[in-house]
Amino acid sequence: MPGISRAPAMRFCFLATAVGFLVYATAANPADKTVHDQVNGFSLTFPEGWINESLTDEEIRLSVKSADLNCMVSASIYIPSAQGSQSDTRKFMEGWSMHNWKRTIGSSFSTADFSNDRLARFPDGYPVRLADVDFTVRRESTTFYGHSRFAFSVRGARYGYVNCNVMAQSAEQVTQMWGPLADQAERVVSSFVLDTP
């Protein structure tokens, strides 16, 4: 996408950490915790008992996890003066399409099938896009399967996303894992807010 540095900003640290995502367990507290990263310009709310992981990818600004659900935030600078950039980012977000998901996010996976694209709003009414993706990630001779819920927006001089996902060694395992976690993923993803310009 013009104005957005896609390498490595639109890449995720799935390949480097896929195995680690499959084997961690912790109990979640029903209370919520909100992190407001003023430097990178975003907020995210998640259960108090989740683990705040050390960052291994310079483009990931926050990485939190429960027993099976992993949520990562990336936020960076949007360059409106770059050739082909959208001057009206509000209109751009409102007109977002599956093609945009595939081009901007899908290239980070080995395969990616997007669904449930929908428009939501930040608290002040600014648009944000949400979608689900069934994906695979190949690492050497192993294929990992996963499901993610995303929120993505471009707002003023910033863009960012949150991605809450589960991963397993088969699509069937992913489906079983996602069912009881879907509402929690939706709650965390829906709490993502980019700061106002």
Side-chain angles (χ1 to χ4, degrees):
M1 178 191 306
I4 294 177
S5 173
R6 295 176 57 207
M10 285 291 110
R11 286 198 190 125
F12 308 104
C13 55
F14 290 122
L15 293 176
T17 59
V19 175
F21 283 175
L22 301 175
V23 296
Y24 196 88
T26 185
N29 189 308
D32 285 341
K33 176 179 180 180
T34 298
V35 169
H36 181 206
D37 185 329
Q38 294 180 329
V39 173
N40 295 299
F42 70 87
S43 297
L44 189 75
T45 301
F46 52 91
E48 180 74 35
W50 282 24
I51 299 297
N52 195 335
E53 295 187 295
S54 299
L55 302 179
T56 58
D57 185 302
E58 65 180 11
E59 297 300 331
I60 300 300
R61 309 302 185 185
L62 176 68
S63 179
V64 294
K65 69 191 302 181
S66 66
D68 296 308
L69 190 63
N70 306 278
C71 298
M72 294 175 287
V73 176
S74 180
S76 196
I77 300 299
Y78 178 72
I79 306 170
S81 61
Q83 184 178 6
S85 291
Q86 303 291 325
S87 58
D88 187 343
T89 55
R90 179 187 293 265
K91 185 176 180 181
F92 179 56
M93 286 284 88
E94 289 174 344
W96 188 264
S97 68
M98 282 295 186
H99 173 73
N100 294 111
W101 281 116
K102 291 175 182 178
R103 184 181 62 175
T104 306
I105 304 295
S107 61
S108 299
F109 303 99
S110 300
T111 64
D113 295 314
F114 290 88
S115 61
N116 300 323
D117 170 62
R118 57 209 184 275
L119 179 66
R121 302 281 174 179
F122 287 137
D124 65 354
Y126 198 86
V128 57
R129 303 302 302 206
L130 294 97
D132 286 55
V133 58
D134 291 302
F135 64 86
T136 61
V137 175
R138 295 189 183 96
R139 184 181 183 189
E140 297 175 354
S141 60
T142 304
T143 298
F144 294 100
Y145 297 81
H147 184 89
S148 289
R149 183 154 294 159
F150 273 90
F152 179 86
S153 192
V154 182
R155 189 179 197 189
R158 292 197 177 276
Y159 73 93
Y161 66 81
V162 59
N163 159 35
C164 288
N165 71 83
V166 297
M167 294 181 70
Q169 295 180 337
S170 74
E172 291 76 17
Q173 285 178 293
V174 169
T175 299
Q176 291 173 357
M177 293 168 66
W178 183 257
L181 297 172
D183 288 345
Q184 190 172 69
E186 179 72 20
R187 185 161 56 93
V188 174
V189 166
S190 296
S191 77
F192 173 68
V193 178
L194 284 172
D195 288 354
T196 55

